[in-house]
Amino acid sequence: PKTIYLKDYQVPDYLIDTTDLNVDIHDGYTLVSCMLALRRNPAAKQAATELTLQGADLELVSLSLDGRLLEEGDYTFGEESLTIFNTPETFTLITITKIKPESNTSLEGLYRSRTMYCTQCEAEGFRKITYYLDRPDVMSEFTTKVIADKKYPVLLSNGNLIEQGDAGEERHYAIWHDPFKKPAYLFALVAGDLAHIEDSFSTSSGRAVTLRIFVEPKDLDKCDHAMASLKHAMRWDEEVYGREYDLDIFMIVAVDDFNMGAMENKGLNIFNTSCVLAKPETTTDVGFQRVEGVVAHEYFHNWSGNRVTCRDWFQLSLKEGFTVYRDSEFSADMGSRTVKRVEDVTLLRTLQFAEDAGPMAHPIRPESYIEISNFYTMTVYEKGAEVIRMLANLLGKENFRKGTDLYFDRHDGQAVTTEDFVTALADASGRDLSQFKRWYSQAGTPRLDVTDYYDEDAQTYSLTIKQSCPPTPECQNKLPFHIPIAMGLLGSAGDLPLYLQGSQPDFETSDNTHRVLELTDAEQTFVFERVQEKPVPSLLRGFSAPVKLNYAYSTRDLILLMSRDSDGFSRWEASQQLGLQAISAAMAAYQQERSLDGFSLSAQLVDAYRRVLQDASLDQAMVAYMLTLPSEAYISELADVIDVEAIHYSRQAVRKALANALADDFTRIYQSYDHRQPYAATADAIATRSLKNVALAYLMLIHDEGSIRACEQQYRHGNNMTDVMAALTQLVNSEAPLAQEYSLAALADFFGRWQHESLVVNQWLSVQAGCQLPDTLSRVRALLQHSAYDGKNPNKIRSLIGAFCNGNAINFHSGNGEGYAFLADQIIQLNRQNPQIASRLLTPLTKWKKYDHVRQQLMKAQLERIRAEPELSKDVFEVVSKSLA
Ligand code: HT7
Ligand code: ZN
């Protein structure tokens, strides 16, 4: 397979002014007629005399140029393209192609999902519908006629409906026109027997927009939360970014078979059912929050992605990083800002940091790719969002808004680059962002090594910060980054005022106790004056940069930060560092003795956690997060060599010790919760529920009969899926015989109750795949054969295989390598059926270099086995070959 390089970018030879599609859907095949108005691109270096269009899995029926049917010799075509010779300055091209949506298992292009037809065109799916200049810098005005049997009453495409009618023989048609020029990746079409809910939104300038959410009729009762979220997002984008919606109608369609979460097609967003359907009985709190976040994300793309789009796919973070930043700020405004920050940082530090340290590491603007689908990554999305967050913080609220206004104004209707984005921010704010741009071109997680010195006589405090960044595949030696470090200094009575040598006090915080240091050199020293006692530094407040911070905090320092820091994020971070210290001590013991008998926690640490549990001033969600120890995935990311058993058993030992030491507090919290209260998906209700369920999880480690019975009661009588799943998860994972007995009955009961709700069945699969007790792989294998499992449905694959391989380290990494062989079997099977899903599933095997020698060999052998497969897709080939390089 060919590698595509950013440095080879060239403007297209031709532009497409208008695209007229006629999509004629029949049982078993679809005929696509496509009329293109083409014109030579005045910006091209040379006047082209031939035109190459992309196409895949198409049967060419006919081809005509300005009304003349083309014959052999006028054109040539291969597996992936069609070239037409002797093309004039401007011309009209009509292609007729035949496709087979019913047998399209890749879920790219036009495909069938259950009872409906739908499309997924990003990144390069449009070429599976018709021959086209399938690249984001070719923007065209689309008119689409959809024709289908009347058993598919709903026919949708982008833009506004301009005509509909009868097409004879029990068939009908609809014509949609999208007045906004767009690249092909934003094209969408749906035909199905769908029900919908409708609402309306009045924009700030007073235009009425019709809002519709289409679903299979059985799901009509699960759309209200998505609709409310959409209206909140529309209002927020007007208020915070001044962005109004621009068409008369905005539609969302929920589809059960979908490779990702959702897709921002102009005016016709297509969603994975898991990101749109929600009701308390079937959906957990996390599910509700995901719906709100994804609905907002796709809506925000209307400006950050659609009105202003990407020049090429190397610029993906231009729209994705910016839009993740926008949706994250939206969620922060809808709920709790600190909680949202903790959630985002947790995700970034486990999954993105691991990606940045592995064989697929790439800058947020990659330099090359074999298959672009492999670059919809944590790096492009989440680290991309962190880069925008740093820009927003460096510029300040007002200048950032001026910058985004300028960006949208200057580039409306264009396909642009990340460079254009940063230039707009620099122009609007007057700031020099040239060094900052290195965040776009250098991969890897920078590391900050911080040392300090307090001079009691001079009353000065010096912080020396060194930055470094490990080598990554694209670059061995990194230039220093421009890193904003938000910080404060804590004295025994709390925050101290900051007098930074050589600069004015920062009165953005009213009491001058917070500031942002800008690190630009490999090493810099910052000196604070008038410091009357040796302080504890509070560094990287709010996680102001996506870096690893290394400062030798003592347990006492961390306890002070956890209880006294004015920054909520830093308080949580201190709780995590304390947890890590305790787990590290247990790991050291385990590695020596291979046993944790007699392990205990210091009274100092237990008291600190107890104070958190008893602190009525804290948000309950924050208490829940502070009492949740760092995950095995995060501990693994921090390790040089991952010791699977030591991490698992040590973390468990610390949890058990906390459970025993704090049992009274956990019992108080659990018992004071009123399980009869009606469900609400508000931030407060979610917070209280999550703390109560954290308490339950701890109590279940004690193995006392009372807690196990309470857990079973919660499973049986819970009036919402959050509580039911929390209880079921605890029963399934408990070693106590009584809990095991309950768990078997509960799993059977759960399936009996919910077997007709596909998304609930997915949760049932995940809870079993995530079981940390022995023999889970056999259970997963058995579930693959279960009637409820569907090996073609990405949500089912993720819920079972994904949950086992990514969320169950102790079983997946079992020393005999059976987990690795199992995953390789699945990937080999999926490689042809759905390459995008196959390639994503590979992730845990790509980390093989971080494990002990025996596991390394076992994992590598499976990667080699996959590599030896004939007809490896580009997707799988790229990941496997880079992992083995
Ligand atoms: N922009 C969307 C990307 C997407 C996608 C990419 C590859 C294969 C399938 C896909 N489905 C959706 C999603 C988003 O970030 O908004
Ligand atoms: Zn997106």
Side-chain angles (χ1 to χ4, degrees):
K2 214 174 97 200
T3 300
I4 320 276
Y5 293 93
L6 167 61
K7 64 178 166 44
D8 293 342
Y9 173 83
Q10 289 192 343
V11 299
D13 289 338
Y14 276 90
L15 301 175
I16 306 175
D17 287 326
T18 58
T19 300
D20 282 79
L21 284 169
N22 194 308
V23 183
D24 196 0
I25 300 173
H26 295 267
D27 279 347
Y29 71 96
T30 293
L31 279 175
V32 180
S33 156
C34 175
M35 180 164 79
L36 305 178
L38 287 138
R39 152 171 77 87
R40 270 190 201 131
N41 184 358
K45 274 205 200 110
Q46 282 180 341
T49 53
E50 58 180 48
L51 168 71
T52 296
L53 302 174
Q54 289 77 47
D57 305 334
L58 303 173
E59 183 185 324
L60 183 61
V61 177
S62 72
L63 192 58
S64 64
L65 192 155
D66 287 339
R68 181 176 77 83
L69 204 60
L70 296 187
E71 294 167 359
E72 230 175 87
D74 291 330
Y75 65 89
T76 179
F77 66 96
E79 287 267 284
E80 293 184 353
S81 64
L82 165 71
T83 300
I84 300 155
F85 307 121
N86 301 318
T87 45
E89 165 102 39
T90 62
F91 61 101
T92 300
L93 184 76
I94 300 180
T95 56
I96 299 182
T97 46
K98 190 173 175 182
I99 53 177
K100 302 241 166 85
E102 288 82 356
S103 49
N104 177 357
T105 56
S106 69
L107 314 187
E108 291 178 276
L110 179 66
Y111 63 94
R112 198 176 157 101
S113 171
R114 292 165 57 90
T115 57
M116 69 177 102
Y117 292 88
C118 65
T119 54
Q120 172 53 38
C121 294
E122 187 175 359
E124 298 181 334
F126 193 74
R127 63 189 63 185
K128 290 188 161 192
I129 297 174
T130 187
Y131 286 104
Y132 204 75
L133 284 173
D134 190 5
R135 46 187 287 170
D137 55 354
V138 172
M139 300 174 77
S140 179
E141 188 178 325
F142 280 68
T143 306
T144 305
K145 179 171 182 179
V146 191
I147 313 154
D149 195 291
K150 285 184 180 163
K151 66 185 173 197
Y152 307 109
V154 174
L155 306 176
L156 310 174
S157 191
N158 317 87
N160 301 314
L161 180 67
I162 54 172
E163 194 182 314
Q164 58 186 330
D166 210 277
E169 297 175 9
E170 290 302 303
R171 293 170 67 73
H172 67 149
Y173 73 90
I175 304 177
W176 292 81
H177 173 247
D178 183 355
F180 293 95
K181 278 181 172 259
K182 65 168 175 289
Y185 84 86
L186 289 172
F187 171 80
L189 175 157
V190 169
D193 183 5
L194 303 172
H196 71 268
I197 64 162
E198 179 167 321
D199 207 327
S200 68
F201 181 83
S202 173
T203 70
S204 50
S205 68
R207 279 186 319 97
V209 181
T210 302
L211 311 175
R212 288 195 186 134
I213 300 181
F214 292 88
V215 294
E216 286 189 34
K218 67 181 173 56
D219 292 323
L220 206 56
D221 60 339
K222 305 183 197 84
C223 298
D224 294 346
H225 180 64
M227 184 62 92
S229 303
L230 174 61
K231 291 168 76 178
H232 289 148
M234 294 177 86
R235 190 62 73 213
W236 187 90
D237 214 15
E238 291 181 344
E239 286 169 5
V240 180
Y241 282 86
R243 301 292 115 199
E244 239 185 273
Y245 187 62
D246 47 14
L247 288 165
D248 301 336
I249 184 163
F250 184 85
M251 298 174 282
I252 288 178
V253 179
V255 178
D256 211 36
D257 301 278
F258 202 74
N259 281 349
M260 302 254 284
M263 179 61 212
E264 69 263 24
N265 316 298
K266 183 78 188 185
L268 177 56
N269 285 192
I270 297 185
F271 271 61
N272 188 323
T273 42
S274 70
C275 295
V276 71
L277 304 179
K279 71 172 183 180
E281 297 76 21
T282 59
T283 314
T284 60
D285 292 340
V286 171
F288 268 86
Q289 286 171 326
R290 187 185 318 122
V291 168
E292 182 183 70
V294 178
V295 166
H297 178 99
E298 304 311 327
Y299 174 74
F300 296 152
H301 269 314
N302 190 54
W303 275 95
S304 49
N306 299 3
R307 290 286 287 256
V308 183
T309 196
C310 301
R311 185 193 73 173
D312 54 72
W313 290 120
F314 297 101
Q315 318 299 327
L316 187 57
S317 200
L318 172 81
K319 73 180 180 82
E320 296 303 349
F322 187 24
T323 306
V324 171
Y325 172 68
R326 276 150 56 68
D327 84 53
S328 164
E329 284 294 289
F330 166 75
S331 298
D333 284 346
M334 295 295 117
S336 150
R337 182 157 286 273
T338 310
V339 169
K340 178 63 179 156
R341 192 70 193 124
V342 163
E343 290 165 352
D344 287 352
V345 172
T346 302
L347 187 73
L348 186 89
R349 288 205 298 209
T350 44
L351 302 182
Q352 196 283 322
F353 280 17
E355 184 169 271
D356 239 350
M360 286 295 289
H362 52 278
I364 63 169
R365 186 191 55 213
E367 305 277 311
S368 68
Y369 61 78
I370 293 176
E371 170 52 65
I372 187 56
S373 300
N374 285 330
F375 287 80
Y376 286 76
T377 57
M378 283 285 150
T379 299
V380 164
Y381 276 65
E382 316 303 326
K383 184 175 180 180
E386 291 300 317
V387 169
I388 305 296
R389 181 177 298 281
M390 287 190 284
L391 284 168
N393 289 340
L394 284 170
L395 264 59
K397 205 171 167 173
E398 250 176 58
N399 275 332
F400 184 68
R401 172 65 193 271
K402 274 194 209 153
T404 58
D405 282 353
L406 180 62
Y407 167 72
F408 288 127
D409 271 6
R410 193 183 263 177
H411 298 297
D412 191 7
Q414 296 177 1
V416 304
T417 62
T418 53
E419 184 83 26
D420 293 320
F421 181 82
V422 180
T423 302
L425 296 196
D427 289 352
S429 65
R431 278 214 60 154
D432 176 4
L433 297 172
S434 42
Q435 184 182 354
F436 186 87
K437 286 186 203 158
R438 289 178 191 156
W439 283 105
Y440 283 90
S441 58
Q442 299 187 145
T445 307
R447 174 186 159 118
L448 302 183
D449 286 292
V450 184
T451 50
D452 58 353
Y453 174 70
Y454 178 60
D455 184 334
E456 201 176 344
D457 297 334
Q459 302 220 324
T460 58
Y461 175 71
S462 313
L463 272 176
T464 298
I465 312 182
K466 274 191 205 167
Q467 61 163 304
S468 58
C469 185
T472 45
E474 91 302 343
C475 171
Q476 295 300 302
N477 297 310
K478 312 289 166 87
L479 296 168
F481 290 89
H482 180 171
I483 304 177
I485 304 169
M487 53 84 61
L489 297 178
L490 256 75
S492 44
D495 279 351
L496 300 174
L498 303 176
Y499 301 100
L500 179 62
Q501 212 169 64
S503 72
Q504 295 298 317
D506 181 355
F507 285 109
E508 267 206 30
T509 49
S510 53
D511 53 357
N512 185 33
T513 57
H514 179 89
R515 66 180 305 145
V516 179
L517 307 177
E518 294 193 24
L519 181 70
T520 48
D521 297 346
E523 179 173 340
Q524 257 167 277
T525 297
F526 300 88
V527 180
F528 295 88
E529 295 168 338
R530 290 191 258 165
V531 184
Q532 282 158 9
E533 58 180 310
K534 184 175 187 319
V536 174
S538 166
L539 300 168
L540 214 64
R541 282 181 167 171
F543 203 66
S544 60
V547 299
K548 289 187 178 180
L549 175 76
N550 181 26
Y551 173 84
Y553 283 113
S554 68
T555 303
R556 264 189 66 208
D557 293 345
L558 291 173
I559 290 176
L560 179 76
L561 288 168
M562 180 161 90
S563 56
R564 301 300 291 269
D565 201 319
S566 55
D567 181 70
F569 176 86
S570 293
R571 293 179 74 173
W572 168 78
E573 174 62 359
S575 77
Q576 299 302 288
Q577 293 302 324
L578 278 172
L580 279 174
Q581 285 187 352
I583 294 167
S584 299
M587 280 173 68
Y590 182 87
Q591 280 161 342
Q592 269 202 343
E593 317 271 327
R594 278 303 178 209
S595 150
L596 283 160
D597 291 347
F599 172 78
S600 67
L601 294 174
S602 74
Q604 190 192 19
L605 189 75
V606 170
D607 282 349
Y609 280 113
R610 182 177 292 116
R611 278 198 297 278
V612 171
L613 279 175
Q614 296 179 351
D615 186 343
S617 71
L618 278 172
D619 174 344
Q620 307 234 28
M622 286 311 297
V623 178
Y625 280 129
M626 289 168 86
L627 261 295
T628 302
L629 293 177
S631 66
E632 290 183 19
Y634 182 51
I635 303 166
S636 303
E637 202 292 310
L638 293 173
D640 291 329
V641 177
I642 300 172
D643 183 338
V644 178
E645 284 86 8
I647 291 174
H648 179 74
Y649 295 116
S650 303
R651 184 176 182 276
Q652 271 306 77
V654 177
R655 291 185 72 221
K656 280 184 188 162
L658 278 177
N660 284 311
L662 300 173
D664 289 350
D665 288 283
F666 289 131
T667 305
R668 170 183 53 78
I669 289 169
Y670 191 76
Q671 289 182 348
S672 63
Y673 186 86
D674 177 7
H675 278 95
R676 286 161 311 178
Q677 63 189 286
Y679 177 87
T682 58
D684 279 352
I686 290 174
T688 325
R689 219 168 5 255
S690 87
L691 179 56
K692 180 264 301 183
N693 284 329
V694 164
L696 173 67
Y698 274 110
L699 290 171
M700 283 295 282
L701 293 171
I702 299 172
H703 290 188
D704 68 305
E705 197 180 321
S707 300
I708 298 172
R709 289 202 190 283
C711 186
E712 199 270 343
Q713 289 293 308
Q714 178 171 323
Y715 166 75
R716 200 160 290 288
H717 302 297
N719 67 2
N720 62 84
M721 188 51 83
T722 308
D723 283 345
V724 170
M725 272 318 283
L728 184 61
T729 305
Q730 294 313 319
L731 292 175
V732 166
N733 281 287
S734 172
E735 289 159 344
L738 179 62
Q740 276 305 296
E741 203 182 306
Y742 282 145
S743 112
L744 292 179
L747 283 169
D749 170 78
F750 190 94
F751 183 72
R753 238 198 287 177
W754 296 112
Q755 57 186 304
H756 303 299
E757 289 281 359
S758 180
L759 295 175
V760 184
V761 170
N762 296 347
Q763 300 177 55
W764 178 77
L765 293 171
S766 288
V767 76
Q768 296 179 80
C771 173
Q772 311 279 302
L773 305 182
D775 218 23
T776 299
L777 181 55
S778 317
R779 201 192 298 199
V780 170
R781 282 213 173 91
L783 286 168
L784 283 178
Q785 307 306 323
H786 195 283
S787 59
Y789 186 74
D790 172 2
K792 292 215 159 52
N793 176 271
N795 289 350
K796 292 274 178 297
I797 298 170
R798 282 186 279 258
S799 301
L800 187 59
I801 305 170
F804 177 73
C805 301
N806 294 299
N808 195 344
I810 193 70
N811 281 302
F812 173 65
H813 291 283
S814 106
N816 60 12
E818 60 178 1
Y820 309 146
F822 166 77
L823 178 55
D825 291 345
Q826 304 306 317
I827 288 165
I828 289 169
Q829 199 183 324
L830 278 164
N831 166 54
R832 281 179 222 178
Q833 177 193 310
N834 188 330
Q836 288 183 358
I837 296 295
S839 150
R840 279 178 181 269
L841 270 187
L842 259 168
T843 307
L845 284 177
T846 65
K847 310 278 155 56
W848 63 279
K849 286 187 182 147
K850 283 207 64 169
Y851 290 84
D852 57 78
H853 181 71
V854 174
R855 284 190 172 93
Q856 280 197 13
Q857 296 311 311
L858 291 166
M859 293 169 94
K860 191 166 164 232
Q862 295 304 327
L863 285 168
E864 281 164 349
R865 195 180 133 221
I866 298 170
R867 186 171 58 182
E869 270 296 296
E871 290 184 50
L872 218 49
S873 61
K874 277 200 287 181
D875 311 57
V876 174
F877 171 81
E878 178 168 37
V879 179
V880 172
S881 57
K882 287 182 175 170
S883 302
L884 287 170

